[in-house]
Amino acid sequence: PIDSILNSHELLTNEQLDPLEKTVMEAELLERTRYTSDMLLNLMTWAKAQMSGVTVNLQQLDLPELIENTTHNKLAVADKKGIRMTTDIESGLRAWGDKDMLQIILRNLVNNAIKFTRPGGEVAVKAIHSGNEIIISVSDSGIGMTDEKQTEIFSLRSGATYGTNNERGIGLGLRMCKEFIEYQ
């Protein structure tokens, strides 16, 4: 992804592009940069956890605020792809958790939902209180995955995947989500 960003930036600065070409290229560059930033954050977070062990900082979290703030940043990406994104969060939900870990989990799940949903589809984030639990879910109308992919999704041998607009994934995000959920 860094090479792609570098190449796009070189074209923007060294080539004579008409205004429409430049606008399209700048939008693509921004999208690639966001993707790369998310991927690097995941890699650094996971590497830190692997090298130094995980420190879980449990605290009382205001879930509606945390979920809305985390998912709000993904609305533009969903909108650009023509995906309707909704949230349905019971007001007043509070739970014990690690704020940073929960934000990374939500960001990854929402990114994946957007990545594997076709234009015109929907991504929904919900949080409800059920008995002694609070259930947070991210669902989508996406393309799904094969049984074979489901069996290896949490392993490191899971290979690259491509979303509905050829967005590339390296298979680390869901494994990290699983680990962070277990730590909490």
Side-chain angles (χ1 to χ4, degrees):
I2 301 281
D3 284 339
S4 176
I5 291 170
L6 180 61
N7 290 338
S8 294
H9 197 275
E10 285 175 348
L11 280 172
L12 282 171
T13 56
N14 295 333
E15 299 290 324
Q16 295 295 333
L17 302 172
D18 69 55
L20 180 59
E21 286 177 317
K22 188 172 182 173
T23 301
V24 168
M25 188 168 272
E26 286 172 341
E28 289 174 359
L29 180 59
L30 179 60
E31 190 171 321
R32 286 184 194 134
T33 305
R34 281 186 182 132
Y35 163 77
T36 303
S37 176
D38 284 345
M39 184 182 71
L40 287 174
L41 176 63
N42 285 343
L43 285 169
M44 289 187 300
T45 303
W46 185 76
K48 180 182 175 198
Q50 298 304 307
M51 290 172 31
S52 63
V54 176
T55 302
V56 180
N57 180 23
L58 293 179
Q59 57 185 298
Q60 191 71 219
L61 301 173
D62 178 345
L63 290 179
E65 179 183 345
L66 185 137
I67 294 170
E68 288 289 346
N69 288 341
T70 305
T71 58
H72 180 75
N73 295 329
K74 301 301 174 190
L75 286 174
V77 177
D79 189 49
K80 183 174 189 257
K81 195 170 173 183
I83 296 170
R84 186 170 157 250
M85 194 162 133
T86 61
T87 56
D88 182 12
I89 305 159
E90 282 184 25
S91 63
L93 284 181
R94 297 188 65 76
W96 286 94
D98 183 293
K99 181 179 178 180
D100 295 331
M101 285 184 183
L102 186 53
Q103 286 177 321
I104 288 170
I105 292 165
L106 285 170
R107 236 187 344 261
N108 271 282
L109 294 178
V110 170
N111 277 343
N112 280 354
I114 293 169
K115 184 187 308 182
F116 294 104
T117 298
R118 288 187 172 87
E122 182 176 345
V123 172
V125 180
K126 296 181 182 181
I128 61 167
H129 185 255
S130 176
N132 292 333
E133 298 177 331
I134 294 175
I135 300 169
I136 301 171
S137 65
V138 178
S139 60
D140 61 67
S141 61
I143 59 176
M145 66 177 76
T146 65
D147 290 340
E148 178 185 347
K149 189 68 176 169
Q150 287 180 37
T151 60
E152 68 179 33
I153 197 71
F154 295 119
S155 73
L156 286 178
R157 64 177 202 276
S158 176
T161 57
Y162 294 89
T164 57
N165 276 358
N166 261 353
E167 309 97 325
R168 189 169 192 270
I170 59 171
L172 180 61
L174 285 178
R175 180 185 169 104
M176 187 173 60
C177 288
K178 180 180 185 290
E179 289 181 12
F180 283 3
I181 289 167
E182 290 169 349
Y183 290 139
Q184 293 180 76

